[in-house]
Amino acid sequence: MEKIYLDHAATSPVHPEVLETTYETMKNFYGNASSIHGFGREARHLLDDARSVFAKSIGAKQSEIVITSGGTESDNTAVIETALSRESMGKHLITSKVEHHAILEPMEYLESLGFEVTYLPVDEFGQVDPELVQSAIRPDTTLVSIMYGNNEVGTLMNIAEIGAIVAETESYFHTDAVQAYGLEEIDVKRSQIDLLSVSAHKINGPKGVGFLYVSEAIHLPSFMRGGEQETKRRAGTENIPAIAGFKKAVEIMQAEKVQRKEAYNTLKQQVVSELTEAGIDFEVNGASENGLAHVLSLWIKEIPSDQLLMNLDLMGIAISAGSACTAGNIEPSHVLTAMYGENNPRVSQSVRVSFGLGTEPQMIHELVEKLVIVVNRLKK
């Protein structure tokens, strides 16, 4: 049985060219980038080249890129260090109810330290109303963190409009761009973004590496301590092979961005069309037409998402449930709950299909064929 992977929003396979770059770098460039000898200088050159590529991809300066271990560290650094370093200015933070847990849990941690957090609601499409952001900002607000694109339903936020609002205040504006990076055109200056998080493994790069954009106009202390790497902004010996692989992944995505986005939108339309033709009773969650091209959230009516997910897995197809399974415990999706309400059947009957490297139309056809079999079986 040939397995089909349709969960690219969770993580993506490493591109063959990225794999080769990472391996060759690990084999040939093993110096410490902080060392002053030739081996160290070679590693430093690779690091600087990668930083330049990362910066250019979002319209930033090379000096504004801090290499991290990925999206979680970038998010944690942006939220926690901003709050703690600006505590004397105020202890109020703003975010949304549909953020990734790498934002929500640091916010909860800060609440335990005495900070106050405003969690903004979203509409039925998963959008945060910029006017709500504006009305929530107070004199003691030090950070606004709103994600660029939602990982569960694919909703794109009005980042430029929110950025313009926050720019008129003393607050910093952070956005988690982990899902949007690589497919959306991101310009941190034009959108007036102060902090932005990115992870390599979402764009066919290695796991365990990412970056945090930190505007030169703001000061953010180092979250990691123990060395003076990253111009004293993030301690720890840089993972040069992973960073080189990340750079290659960015270069490939930049070159293929338009074609990939078109291909993913076509696949998304194929899923909807074939499910409709097959007579499956479903609805799309969120605004898929104006959302992330690679993410499609579906409400398969009257079918528990966990049962659908497990049955498809046994048939060799990997997708995600709209609810998270942890050690056998089903937790309702906080995103769908925020969009539709706690008792809405969508919360427990939704699945996410996400596309990426290697996804072909035939895979979608097989997904729908097997989904029809599972739905009919479960309804009986």
PDB file of all heavy atoms in Angstrom, residues 311-342:
ATOM      1  N   ASN A 311      -9.303   5.984  10.567  1.00  0.00           N
ATOM      2  CA  ASN A 311      -9.650   5.078   9.471  1.00  0.00           C
ATOM      3  C   ASN A 311      -8.849   5.381   8.218  1.00  0.00           C
ATOM      4  O   ASN A 311      -8.387   4.463   7.534  1.00  0.00           O
ATOM      5  CB  ASN A 311     -11.151   5.166   9.169  1.00  0.00           C
ATOM      6  CG  ASN A 311     -11.989   4.267  10.050  1.00  0.00           C
ATOM      7  OD1 ASN A 311     -12.238   3.108   9.712  1.00  0.00           O
ATOM      8  ND2 ASN A 311     -12.410   4.780  11.196  1.00  0.00           N
ATOM      9  N   LEU A 312      -8.670   6.650   7.914  1.00  0.00           N
ATOM     10  CA  LEU A 312      -7.864   7.018   6.751  1.00  0.00           C
ATOM     11  C   LEU A 312      -6.403   6.637   6.963  1.00  0.00           C
ATOM     12  O   LEU A 312      -5.720   6.216   6.025  1.00  0.00           O
ATOM     13  CB  LEU A 312      -7.985   8.518   6.468  1.00  0.00           C
ATOM     14  CG  LEU A 312      -9.308   8.990   5.863  1.00  0.00           C
ATOM     15  CD1 LEU A 312      -9.336  10.512   5.755  1.00  0.00           C
ATOM     16  CD2 LEU A 312      -9.539   8.370   4.489  1.00  0.00           C
ATOM     17  N   ASP A 313      -5.919   6.761   8.193  1.00  0.00           N
ATOM     18  CA  ASP A 313      -4.542   6.387   8.498  1.00  0.00           C
ATOM     19  C   ASP A 313      -4.327   4.899   8.241  1.00  0.00           C
ATOM     20  O   ASP A 313      -3.302   4.489   7.689  1.00  0.00           O
ATOM     21  CB  ASP A 313      -4.228   6.734   9.950  1.00  0.00           C
ATOM     22  CG  ASP A 313      -2.781   6.442  10.318  1.00  0.00           C
ATOM     23  OD1 ASP A 313      -1.884   6.753   9.505  1.00  0.00           O
ATOM     24  OD2 ASP A 313      -2.545   5.904  11.404  1.00  0.00           O
ATOM     25  N   LEU A 314      -5.296   4.081   8.629  1.00  0.00           N
ATOM     26  CA  LEU A 314      -5.206   2.639   8.380  1.00  0.00           C
ATOM     27  C   LEU A 314      -5.209   2.326   6.881  1.00  0.00           C
ATOM     28  O   LEU A 314      -4.699   1.278   6.462  1.00  0.00           O
ATOM     29  CB  LEU A 314      -6.365   1.910   9.064  1.00  0.00           C
ATOM     30  CG  LEU A 314      -6.332   1.889  10.603  1.00  0.00           C
ATOM     31  CD1 LEU A 314      -7.624   1.327  11.153  1.00  0.00           C
ATOM     32  CD2 LEU A 314      -5.135   1.093  11.098  1.00  0.00           C
ATOM     33  N   MET A 315      -5.754   3.246   6.088  1.00  0.00           N
ATOM     34  CA  MET A 315      -5.796   3.078   4.633  1.00  0.00           C
ATOM     35  C   MET A 315      -4.617   3.779   3.953  1.00  0.00           C
ATOM     36  O   MET A 315      -4.549   3.866   2.728  1.00  0.00           O
ATOM     37  CB  MET A 315      -7.122   3.615   4.093  1.00  0.00           C
ATOM     38  CG  MET A 315      -8.331   2.917   4.680  1.00  0.00           C
ATOM     39  SD  MET A 315      -9.906   3.691   4.234  1.00  0.00           S
ATOM     40  CE  MET A 315     -10.201   2.965   2.624  1.00  0.00           C
ATOM     41  N   GLY A 316      -3.680   4.292   4.772  1.00  0.00           N
ATOM     42  CA  GLY A 316      -2.462   4.854   4.216  1.00  0.00           C
ATOM     43  C   GLY A 316      -2.511   6.321   3.869  1.00  0.00           C
ATOM     44  O   GLY A 316      -1.633   6.817   3.154  1.00  0.00           O
ATOM     45  N   ILE A 317      -3.491   7.051   4.387  1.00  0.00           N
ATOM     46  CA  ILE A 317      -3.607   8.483   4.076  1.00  0.00           C
ATOM     47  C   ILE A 317      -3.468   9.300   5.356  1.00  0.00           C
ATOM     48  O   ILE A 317      -4.177   9.079   6.340  1.00  0.00           O
ATOM     49  CB  ILE A 317      -4.948   8.802   3.397  1.00  0.00           C
ATOM     50  CG1 ILE A 317      -5.002   8.104   2.024  1.00  0.00           C
ATOM     51  CG2 ILE A 317      -5.130  10.309   3.230  1.00  0.00           C
ATOM     52  CD1 ILE A 317      -6.266   8.363   1.248  1.00  0.00           C
ATOM     53  N   ALA A 318      -2.542  10.236   5.340  1.00  0.00           N
ATOM     54  CA  ALA A 318      -2.268  11.069   6.514  1.00  0.00           C
ATOM     55  C   ALA A 318      -2.836  12.472   6.319  1.00  0.00           C
ATOM     56  O   ALA A 318      -2.409  13.212   5.432  1.00  0.00           O
ATOM     57  CB  ALA A 318      -0.766  11.157   6.756  1.00  0.00           C
ATOM     58  N   ILE A 319      -3.822  12.822   7.141  1.00  0.00           N
ATOM     59  CA  ILE A 319      -4.333  14.188   7.233  1.00  0.00           C
ATOM     60  C   ILE A 319      -4.418  14.513   8.722  1.00  0.00           C
ATOM     61  O   ILE A 319      -3.998  13.720   9.562  1.00  0.00           O
ATOM     62  CB  ILE A 319      -5.712  14.358   6.543  1.00  0.00           C
ATOM     63  CG1 ILE A 319      -6.767  13.455   7.203  1.00  0.00           C
ATOM     64  CG2 ILE A 319      -5.608  14.064   5.049  1.00  0.00           C
ATOM     65  CD1 ILE A 319      -8.177  13.690   6.661  1.00  0.00           C
ATOM     66  N   SER A 320      -4.940  15.681   9.058  1.00  0.00           N
ATOM     67  CA  SER A 320      -5.045  16.078  10.467  1.00  0.00           C
ATOM     68  C   SER A 320      -6.498  16.249  10.870  1.00  0.00           C
ATOM     69  O   SER A 320      -7.348  16.565  10.041  1.00  0.00           O
ATOM     70  CB  SER A 320      -4.325  17.414  10.717  1.00  0.00           C
ATOM     71  OG  SER A 320      -2.979  17.330  10.392  1.00  0.00           O
ATOM     72  N   ALA A 321      -6.746  16.077  12.155  1.00  0.00           N
ATOM     73  CA  ALA A 321      -8.071  16.348  12.696  1.00  0.00           C
ATOM     74  C   ALA A 321      -8.163  17.807  13.115  1.00  0.00           C
ATOM     75  O   ALA A 321      -7.163  18.462  13.390  1.00  0.00           O
ATOM     76  CB  ALA A 321      -8.349  15.443  13.890  1.00  0.00           C
ATOM     77  N   GLY A 322      -9.365  18.308  13.160  1.00  0.00           N
ATOM     78  CA  GLY A 322      -9.574  19.665  13.643  1.00  0.00           C
ATOM     79  C   GLY A 322      -9.412  19.747  15.142  1.00  0.00           C
ATOM     80  O   GLY A 322      -9.454  20.816  15.733  1.00  0.00           O
ATOM     81  N   SER A 323      -9.223  18.607  15.784  1.00  0.00           N
ATOM     82  CA  SER A 323      -8.950  18.562  17.217  1.00  0.00           C
ATOM     83  C   SER A 323      -7.644  17.827  17.424  1.00  0.00           C
ATOM     84  O   SER A 323      -7.261  16.970  16.630  1.00  0.00           O
ATOM     85  CB  SER A 323     -10.084  17.852  17.972  1.00  0.00           C
ATOM     86  OG  SER A 323     -10.307  16.567  17.432  1.00  0.00           O
ATOM     87  N   ALA A 324      -6.955  18.159  18.499  1.00  0.00           N
ATOM     88  CA  ALA A 324      -5.638  17.580  18.746  1.00  0.00           C
ATOM     89  C   ALA A 324      -5.746  16.318  19.583  1.00  0.00           C
ATOM     90  O   ALA A 324      -6.435  16.288  20.588  1.00  0.00           O
ATOM     91  CB  ALA A 324      -4.748  18.602  19.443  1.00  0.00           C
ATOM     92  N   CYS A 325      -5.054  15.272  19.155  1.00  0.00           N
ATOM     93  CA  CYS A 325      -5.026  14.019  19.917  1.00  0.00           C
ATOM     94  C   CYS A 325      -3.722  13.951  20.694  1.00  0.00           C
ATOM     95  O   CYS A 325      -2.652  13.952  20.099  1.00  0.00           O
ATOM     96  CB  CYS A 325      -5.120  12.826  18.981  1.00  0.00           C
ATOM     97  SG  CYS A 325      -6.629  12.792  17.996  1.00  0.00           S
ATOM     98  N   THR A 326      -3.811  13.890  22.001  1.00  0.00           N
ATOM     99  CA  THR A 326      -2.617  13.808  22.833  1.00  0.00           C
ATOM    100  C   THR A 326      -2.782  12.662  23.812  1.00  0.00           C
ATOM    101  O   THR A 326      -3.644  12.703  24.674  1.00  0.00           O
ATOM    102  CB  THR A 326      -2.400  15.138  23.610  1.00  0.00           C
ATOM    103  OG1 THR A 326      -2.361  16.208  22.671  1.00  0.00           O
ATOM    104  CG2 THR A 326      -1.098  15.092  24.382  1.00  0.00           C
ATOM    105  N   ALA A 327      -1.964  11.652  23.627  1.00  0.00           N
ATOM    106  CA  ALA A 327      -1.985  10.484  24.524  1.00  0.00           C
ATOM    107  C   ALA A 327      -3.393   9.902  24.650  1.00  0.00           C
ATOM    108  O   ALA A 327      -3.833   9.490  25.709  1.00  0.00           O
ATOM    109  CB  ALA A 327      -1.455  10.862  25.904  1.00  0.00           C
ATOM    110  N   GLY A 328      -4.126   9.907  23.512  1.00  0.00           N
ATOM    111  CA  GLY A 328      -5.452   9.316  23.506  1.00  0.00           C
ATOM    112  C   GLY A 328      -6.554  10.237  23.981  1.00  0.00           C
ATOM    113  O   GLY A 328      -7.733   9.881  23.943  1.00  0.00           O
ATOM    114  N   ASN A 329      -6.193  11.429  24.428  1.00  0.00           N
ATOM    115  CA  ASN A 329      -7.206  12.377  24.892  1.00  0.00           C
ATOM    116  C   ASN A 329      -7.543  13.367  23.777  1.00  0.00           C
ATOM    117  O   ASN A 329      -6.658  13.948  23.165  1.00  0.00           O
ATOM    118  CB  ASN A 329      -6.695  13.150  26.112  1.00  0.00           C
ATOM    119  CG  ASN A 329      -6.444  12.230  27.288  1.00  0.00           C
ATOM    120  OD1 ASN A 329      -7.224  11.324  27.543  1.00  0.00           O
ATOM    121  ND2 ASN A 329      -5.348  12.463  27.989  1.00  0.00           N
ATOM    122  N   ILE A 330      -8.812  13.543  23.515  1.00  0.00           N
ATOM    123  CA  ILE A 330      -9.254  14.449  22.464  1.00  0.00           C
ATOM    124  C   ILE A 330      -9.541  15.824  23.067  1.00  0.00           C
ATOM    125  O   ILE A 330     -10.377  15.960  23.948  1.00  0.00           O
ATOM    126  CB  ILE A 330     -10.522  13.925  21.767  1.00  0.00           C
ATOM    127  CG1 ILE A 330     -10.272  12.528  21.199  1.00  0.00           C
ATOM    128  CG2 ILE A 330     -10.963  14.883  20.672  1.00  0.00           C
ATOM    129  CD1 ILE A 330      -9.163  12.471  20.176  1.00  0.00           C
ATOM    130  N   GLU A 331      -8.839  16.814  22.585  1.00  0.00           N
ATOM    131  CA  GLU A 331      -9.071  18.179  23.032  1.00  0.00           C
ATOM    132  C   GLU A 331      -9.688  18.975  21.886  1.00  0.00           C
ATOM    133  O   GLU A 331      -9.177  18.954  20.775  1.00  0.00           O
ATOM    134  CB  GLU A 331      -7.755  18.825  23.467  1.00  0.00           C
ATOM    135  CG  GLU A 331      -7.095  18.142  24.650  1.00  0.00           C
ATOM    136  CD  GLU A 331      -5.779  18.794  25.035  1.00  0.00           C
ATOM    137  OE1 GLU A 331      -5.426  19.809  24.398  1.00  0.00           O
ATOM    138  OE2 GLU A 331      -5.125  18.293  25.958  1.00  0.00           O
ATOM    139  N   PRO A 332     -10.792  19.670  22.140  1.00  0.00           N
ATOM    140  CA  PRO A 332     -11.433  20.447  21.079  1.00  0.00           C
ATOM    141  C   PRO A 332     -10.480  21.498  20.501  1.00  0.00           C
ATOM    142  O   PRO A 332      -9.668  22.076  21.223  1.00  0.00           O
ATOM    143  CB  PRO A 332     -12.614  21.120  21.796  1.00  0.00           C
ATOM    144  CG  PRO A 332     -12.844  20.280  23.004  1.00  0.00           C
ATOM    145  CD  PRO A 332     -11.501  19.773  23.417  1.00  0.00           C
ATOM    146  N   SER A 333     -10.572  21.721  19.211  1.00  0.00           N
ATOM    147  CA  SER A 333      -9.752  22.737  18.562  1.00  0.00           C
ATOM    148  C   SER A 333     -10.102  24.114  19.090  1.00  0.00           C
ATOM    149  O   SER A 333     -11.249  24.552  19.002  1.00  0.00           O
ATOM    150  CB  SER A 333      -9.978  22.694  17.046  1.00  0.00           C
ATOM    151  OG  SER A 333      -9.548  23.893  16.439  1.00  0.00           O
ATOM    152  N   HIS A 334      -9.107  24.820  19.633  1.00  0.00           N
ATOM    153  CA  HIS A 334      -9.376  26.167  20.145  1.00  0.00           C
ATOM    154  C   HIS A 334      -9.669  27.130  19.001  1.00  0.00           C
ATOM    155  O   HIS A 334     -10.378  28.127  19.182  1.00  0.00           O
ATOM    156  CB  HIS A 334      -8.190  26.668  20.971  1.00  0.00           C
ATOM    157  CG  HIS A 334      -6.963  26.961  20.170  1.00  0.00           C
ATOM    158  ND1 HIS A 334      -6.137  25.985  19.672  1.00  0.00           N
ATOM    159  CD2 HIS A 334      -6.401  28.148  19.776  1.00  0.00           C
ATOM    160  CE1 HIS A 334      -5.131  26.537  19.017  1.00  0.00           C
ATOM    161  NE2 HIS A 334      -5.267  27.839  19.062  1.00  0.00           N
ATOM    162  N   VAL A 335      -9.168  26.819  17.805  1.00  0.00           N
ATOM    163  CA  VAL A 335      -9.412  27.679  16.647  1.00  0.00           C
ATOM    164  C   VAL A 335     -10.873  27.572  16.210  1.00  0.00           C
ATOM    165  O   VAL A 335     -11.576  28.585  16.053  1.00  0.00           O
ATOM    166  CB  VAL A 335      -8.471  27.308  15.486  1.00  0.00           C
ATOM    167  CG1 VAL A 335      -8.839  28.093  14.219  1.00  0.00           C
ATOM    168  CG2 VAL A 335      -7.028  27.560  15.865  1.00  0.00           C
ATOM    169  N   LEU A 336     -11.342  26.331  16.015  1.00  0.00           N
ATOM    170  CA  LEU A 336     -12.723  26.138  15.587  1.00  0.00           C
ATOM    171  C   LEU A 336     -13.710  26.576  16.670  1.00  0.00           C
ATOM    172  O   LEU A 336     -14.790  27.089  16.365  1.00  0.00           O
ATOM    173  CB  LEU A 336     -12.957  24.680  15.207  1.00  0.00           C
ATOM    174  CG  LEU A 336     -12.143  24.178  14.005  1.00  0.00           C
ATOM    175  CD1 LEU A 336     -12.351  22.680  13.811  1.00  0.00           C
ATOM    176  CD2 LEU A 336     -12.525  24.939  12.746  1.00  0.00           C
ATOM    177  N   THR A 337     -13.338  26.385  17.923  1.00  0.00           N
ATOM    178  CA  THR A 337     -14.187  26.839  19.027  1.00  0.00           C
ATOM    179  C   THR A 337     -14.326  28.354  19.002  1.00  0.00           C
ATOM    180  O   THR A 337     -15.426  28.896  19.193  1.00  0.00           O
ATOM    181  CB  THR A 337     -13.597  26.390  20.376  1.00  0.00           C
ATOM    182  OG1 THR A 337     -13.538  24.961  20.425  1.00  0.00           O
ATOM    183  CG2 THR A 337     -14.438  26.899  21.535  1.00  0.00           C
ATOM    184  N   ALA A 338     -13.228  29.041  18.753  1.00  0.00           N
ATOM    185  CA  ALA A 338     -13.275  30.508  18.694  1.00  0.00           C
ATOM    186  C   ALA A 338     -14.099  30.990  17.503  1.00  0.00           C
ATOM    187  O   ALA A 338     -14.765  32.025  17.575  1.00  0.00           O
ATOM    188  CB  ALA A 338     -11.854  31.062  18.598  1.00  0.00           C
ATOM    189  N   MET A 339     -14.060  30.247  16.418  1.00  0.00           N
ATOM    190  CA  MET A 339     -14.781  30.648  15.202  1.00  0.00           C
ATOM    191  C   MET A 339     -16.273  30.357  15.265  1.00  0.00           C
ATOM    192  O   MET A 339     -17.089  31.165  14.824  1.00  0.00           O
ATOM    193  CB  MET A 339     -14.177  29.936  13.992  1.00  0.00           C
ATOM    194  CG  MET A 339     -12.781  30.397  13.615  1.00  0.00           C
ATOM    195  SD  MET A 339     -11.987  29.343  12.378  1.00  0.00           S
ATOM    196  CE  MET A 339     -13.098  29.524  10.976  1.00  0.00           C
ATOM    197  N   TYR A 340     -16.628  29.180  15.819  1.00  0.00           N
ATOM    198  CA  TYR A 340     -18.017  28.717  15.700  1.00  0.00           C
ATOM    199  C   TYR A 340     -18.741  28.494  17.027  1.00  0.00           C
ATOM    200  O   TYR A 340     -19.948  28.302  17.029  1.00  0.00           O
ATOM    201  CB  TYR A 340     -18.052  27.413  14.899  1.00  0.00           C
ATOM    202  CG  TYR A 340     -17.476  27.558  13.508  1.00  0.00           C
ATOM    203  CD1 TYR A 340     -16.303  26.902  13.152  1.00  0.00           C
ATOM    204  CD2 TYR A 340     -18.104  28.359  12.556  1.00  0.00           C
ATOM    205  CE1 TYR A 340     -15.762  27.035  11.877  1.00  0.00           C
ATOM    206  CE2 TYR A 340     -17.573  28.498  11.283  1.00  0.00           C
ATOM    207  CZ  TYR A 340     -16.407  27.840  10.949  1.00  0.00           C
ATOM    208  OH  TYR A 340     -15.872  27.979   9.686  1.00  0.00           O
ATOM    209  N   GLY A 341     -18.016  28.496  18.127  1.00  0.00           N
ATOM    210  CA  GLY A 341     -18.658  28.258  19.404  1.00  0.00           C
ATOM    211  C   GLY A 341     -18.382  26.860  19.915  1.00  0.00           C
ATOM    212  O   GLY A 341     -18.174  25.910  19.144  1.00  0.00           O
ATOM    213  N   GLU A 342     -18.376  26.726  21.219  1.00  0.00           N
ATOM    214  CA  GLU A 342     -17.968  25.480  21.872  1.00  0.00           C
ATOM    215  C   GLU A 342     -18.820  24.285  21.494  1.00  0.00           C
ATOM    216  O   GLU A 342     -18.324  23.160  21.370  1.00  0.00           O
ATOM    217  CB  GLU A 342     -18.007  25.689  23.393  1.00  0.00           C
ATOM    218  CG  GLU A 342     -17.454  24.543  24.190  1.00  0.00           C
ATOM    219  CD  GLU A 342     -17.413  24.852  25.675  1.00  0.00           C
ATOM    220  OE1 GLU A 342     -17.780  25.986  26.064  1.00  0.00           O
ATOM    221  OE2 GLU A 342     -17.027  23.959  26.445  1.00  0.00           O
TER     222      GLU A 342
END
